[in-house]
Amino acid sequence: MRLVIAEDAALLREGLSLILTNAGHRVRAVADADGLLAAVAAEAPDAVITDIRMPPDFRDEGLHAALRLRRDLPGLPILVLSQYVEHTYAAELVSLGGGVGYLLKDKVGDIPEFLAALDRVAAGGTVVDPDVVRRFLEFRRMRAPLERLTPRERDVLALIAEGRSNSTIARGLRVTDAAIAKHVNNILSKLDLPPDTDGHRRVLAVLAYLQHDHDGF
Amino acid sequence: METTSGPPGAARDGTADRRTLAGDPLRFLASPLPWRALGFLLTGWLVALMWTVATLALLLVPALGLVLLLGGVPLAAVERRRLRWVDPAPAPSPHAPPVRPGPWGWAGTRFRERATWRELGYALCFALALAWADALVGLLVPCVLYLLGFPLLTVALPEFQPDRLFGLIPAAHPEAFLATALGLALLPFALYLVTAYALWRVRLTRFVLLGGEAGADRRVRELSLSRERIMDAMDAQRLRIERDLHDGAQQRLTGLILSLGVARLELAEAPEPARIAVDEAYRQARTALSELRELVHGIHPQVLTNRGLAPAVAELADRCPVPVDVAIHLPDRPPEPVEAAAWFITAEALTNAAKHSGATRAWIRCHRQGPSLLLEIGDDGTGGADPARGTGLLGLADRVSVLHGRIEFDSPAGGPTLLRAELPCDW
């Protein structure tokens, strides 16, 4: 694959480039968000790997760049490497649909797994760091086990996790939109995500599903 | 527990000036402050006029001459009230309660007070000069408004037909709209000028009418300013530590994990003891990084800085073992210290709810009420939490008090627990 990496710490940038080059990828490495946007425009890569916190302000430039790239180039696979366990960022990414990943930085140490995660993202899948999901679900899981879902509801949730809309799911399962909407409501209430919960209920449900689905790293 | 801000007298006005005049110009112009300042300046002459008329009327009755010496007292009371339009910090009367009851007792006490004579001096200066100077400065704004409305006036009042405004702008349309453009350009300057003058005037009034600053008052003022500085420094330090850890230790540890990852691959064929040793090193490095990550998050959450209060609080609620209903409605992001205080309060309250109360449900409500941010956190637990026992809630009270806010904590035995914080912010 042709890859663009954005990472401001030289040590990590070099290390990642080396690992990915050894794995047979063509890598272009940059050190900030502006560099990332320029490199993507120039290289038309197959996937992007980016840090969140980068120059000039060291806030969340990388994430903003990622959101912008996805707007300009829908479907461009993006893997975000982060030091933050907060699920807000992960949820923002997952809400973009498939082909996104959010990994904590220490996961690059398990090189085969890291490369596999990159492949999953590049193939349009969704990867969220199990530690982020686990931290989020640690307590919620006792209150709302995924086991309470009916098999049909689980199928629907799996399709939501692939980033599909209600009507696409309805077409795929050959049922009406209303039936799917009812399933989704049941799923959300069984996962203890009532309507007044702040933010992206659908995304939180996906996080719950991902945790259950690929436990372990 | 109830803690109110209670900065005495002028302790606040330094910060009030700094925040409002030096802040975001758009925010300043949209705030009620310039108009309050204008109101303060344009009503003074009425007070002065009434006071003068009343004084002259009293002069007609010879026996009341002595009472005239106390004439500054009621005027000062009115002025202390009026100055709070501009600077809402409390302006308590410097007078002591009368020693003996009755009008004679009252007059006796007043005559012996220095404040009475300062007030008389102020009243004379005010009635003869200050009030009129205020009105002159305040008139600047109506003049600019006149410019703004000039084209409209020429239409609305046909008999009002000046040939030219200041001999420059013709009254005929559409040239008359030049006046509107000029007025629009001048309005911000006029408002800034008027506000700056009013703030200065209020300080003068405070200085004279609140008994200057007696020794104790000055010390309290210095203390409260130094407390603000300490809190600012603490927050700056937190941010710096967080940044240093992120850019330093966290990056290095990640680099180490990466190197160990490479080593593990290279050693795949090596003898078992070597592999076990490297695996162990790898595992420990990862544990260290994840502990460091939690530590960094507790020092200063990035989501709060980058995304604001709503997502940061939602994150706290999501991690709380007790289900939490969150309702946050803020039109804008409050100033950073207010956001930080609200976040720390929520974190502490949720920790208490989860640890001690046995609650099955908690809720957070946060919205803007007037010029303040109102934060309420409650749970249905057994209550009985005593703020005196832990340092957590006391620390919060300090933080809130520095922001001139108030925090109330109500946790009767048997429950429920309710925490309510009001944090003023210059929106």
Side-chain angles (χ1 to χ4, degrees):
Chain A
M1 280 190 284
R2 274 166 308 158
L3 300 172
V4 171
I5 307 177
E7 163 65 62
D8 63 313
L11 189 69
L12 278 179
R13 193 169 59 236
E14 304 301 324
L16 275 175
S17 301
L18 196 67
I19 288 170
L20 291 167
T21 313
N22 284 345
H25 300 299
R26 263 184 48 204
V27 178
R28 163 87 188 273
V30 296
D32 58 33
D34 289 340
L36 170 61
L37 296 178
V40 169
E43 306 269 322
D46 299 311
V48 166
I49 301 176
T50 179
D51 188 8
I52 288 195
R53 184 152 144 171
M54 284 193 288
D57 295 326
F58 297 96
R59 289 166 81 103
D60 50 359
E61 290 80 3
L63 200 63
H64 277 293
L67 299 181
R68 197 164 137 204
L69 284 175
R70 279 295 279 238
R71 205 184 50 222
D72 297 345
L73 305 164
L76 173 68
I78 294 181
L79 176 59
V80 171
L81 295 179
S82 163
Q83 297 283 21
Y84 307 131
V85 265
E86 287 108 323
H87 63 76
T88 304
Y89 296 128
E92 280 176 16
L93 263 183
V94 172
S95 68
L96 294 176
V100 294
Y102 186 91
L103 283 185
L104 294 176
K105 276 195 180 165
D106 57 303
K107 297 305 187 302
V108 296
D110 194 338
I111 295 163
E113 270 296 345
F114 171 66
L115 294 174
L118 177 62
D119 287 341
R120 275 217 295 283
V121 170
T126 306
V127 173
V128 176
D129 194 292
D131 284 347
V132 174
V133 180
R134 192 173 302 128
R135 190 164 178 276
F136 163 61
L137 288 173
E138 221 153 58
F139 305 109
R140 202 170 280 261
R141 190 159 27 173
M142 330 187 267
R143 316 200 292 257
L146 214 57
E147 284 70 25
R148 292 213 317 250
L149 300 187
T150 65
R152 187 57 156 187
E153 285 164 354
R154 262 197 252 186
D155 292 345
V156 172
L157 184 54
L159 290 168
I160 294 177
E162 284 171 22
R164 303 196 195 191
S165 70
N166 276 9
S167 47
T168 334
I169 298 173
R171 265 202 306 280
L173 297 178
R174 291 172 206 286
V175 291
T176 62
D177 280 13
I180 293 298
K182 200 169 147 242
H183 283 313
V184 171
N185 270 334
N186 286 344
I187 292 169
L188 294 180
S189 67
K190 283 188 185 175
L191 291 180
D192 199 26
L193 296 166
D196 55 339
T197 310
D198 186 76
H200 354 254
R201 291 197 296 153
R202 233 177 139 89
V203 173
L204 298 181
V206 170
L207 289 182
Y209 173 77
L210 290 172
Q211 156 72 8
H212 197 78
D213 205 38
H214 342 257
D215 215 334
F217 212 111
Chain B
M1 177 186 66
E2 171 155 332
T3 319
T4 44
S5 66
R12 183 174 175 275
D13 57 4
T15 45
D17 296 3
R18 207 175 57 229
R19 268 189 210 138
T20 46
L21 279 182
D24 180 359
L26 284 179
R27 199 174 260 193
F28 165 77
L29 290 175
S31 76
L33 182 66
W35 306 104
R36 284 163 181 254
L38 189 63
F40 173 79
L41 295 181
L42 288 182
T43 50
W45 67 276
L46 272 172
V47 178
L49 200 64
M50 284 194 285
W51 185 79
T52 312
V53 169
T55 309
L56 292 176
L58 280 177
L59 268 184
L60 296 177
V61 190
L64 290 178
L66 214 57
V67 176
L68 277 180
L69 293 177
L70 293 175
V73 177
L75 181 92
V78 172
E79 284 302 285
R80 274 192 295 267
R81 197 169 272 268
R82 239 161 46 79
L83 68 82
R84 298 189 61 193
W85 296 351
V86 180
D87 177 4
S93 161
H95 292 294
V99 182
R100 280 171 292 128
W104 291 113
W106 181 82
T109 305
R110 289 289 167 269
F111 272 121
R112 271 185 233 107
E113 284 177 326
R114 251 183 56 199
T116 308
W117 308 109
R118 294 176 79 115
E119 286 172 351
L120 184 63
Y122 178 85
L124 288 171
C125 290
F126 178 74
L128 294 176
L130 276 179
W132 308 98
D134 292 352
L136 268 180
V137 176
L139 275 176
L140 197 62
V141 173
C143 284
V144 172
L145 292 179
Y146 169 73
L147 269 182
L148 265 178
F150 182 66
L152 215 65
L153 273 179
T154 54
V155 175
L157 305 169
E159 63 272 22
F160 168 78
Q161 284 299 355
D163 292 342
R164 296 175 152 251
L165 182 66
F166 308 143
L168 288 174
I169 298 168
H173 286 254
E175 289 89 338
F177 283 103
L178 275 176
T180 307
L182 188 64
L184 272 179
L186 288 179
L187 189 62
F189 294 103
L191 290 178
Y192 260 101
L193 197 71
V194 161
T195 311
Y197 173 79
L199 284 169
W200 172 80
R201 267 285 283 119
V202 160
R203 252 152 94 175
L204 179 75
T205 310
R206 272 187 186 282
F207 180 75
V208 181
L209 296 188
L210 298 182
E213 282 184 65
D217 278 357
R218 198 169 47 241
R219 269 207 306 284
V220 170
R221 172 197 164 93
E222 277 161 9
L223 279 176
S224 90
L225 283 179
S226 85
R227 200 171 57 154
E228 268 176 46
R229 281 196 300 271
I230 290 172
M231 193 64 84
D232 282 354
M234 253 173 60
D235 284 346
Q237 196 115 353
R238 281 183 106 99
L239 269 175
R240 205 175 53 78
I241 292 173
E242 193 262 350
R243 209 174 34 234
D244 287 353
L245 284 177
H246 178 270
D247 297 345
Q250 271 185 317
Q251 301 286 26
R252 276 177 197 287
L253 263 176
T254 312
L256 174 65
I257 288 170
L258 193 61
S259 305
L260 285 171
V262 175
R264 283 173 79 206
L265 278 191
E266 301 289 337
L267 286 176
E269 312 289 318
E272 198 171 321
R275 268 189 293 131
I276 290 178
V278 173
D279 277 351
E280 178 61 20
Y282 170 76
R283 209 181 49 74
Q284 285 193 16
R286 278 188 55 182
T287 312
L289 184 63
S290 105
E291 279 172 8
L292 189 59
R293 207 154 41 209
E294 289 297 326
L295 185 72
V296 168
H297 179 264
I299 291 174
H300 190 96
Q302 271 299 307
V303 167
L304 181 63
T305 318
N306 295 340
R307 292 287 186 276
L309 197 54
V313 165
E315 191 106 22
L316 282 175
D318 282 338
R319 290 171 47 206
C320 182
V322 180
V324 186
D325 298 322
V326 183
I328 298 183
H329 301 287
L330 296 173
D332 245 325
R333 280 191 66 174
E336 240 169 68
V338 173
E339 277 190 338
W343 187 84
F344 282 115
I345 291 170
T346 311
E348 181 68 25
L350 289 184
T351 307
N352 279 349
K355 259 195 204 152
H356 311 298
S357 76
T360 61
R361 201 90 215 169
W363 50 267
I364 301 170
R365 268 208 299 267
C366 181
H367 58 94
R368 184 181 164 182
Q369 193 177 60
S372 297
L373 177 141
L374 191 73
L375 173 68
E376 289 179 308
I377 303 160
D379 67 58
D380 63 356
T382 52
D386 181 6
R389 275 213 311 267
T391 51
L393 279 163
L394 272 177
L396 292 180
D398 289 346
R399 192 172 265 281
V400 168
S401 148
V402 166
L403 296 170
H404 304 288
R406 39 189 287 150
I407 183 165
E408 287 165 38
F409 184 72
D410 181 34
S411 183
T417 299
L418 178 66
L419 192 152
R420 190 172 183 281
E422 223 181 298
L423 306 167
C425 23
D426 305 310
W427 248 307

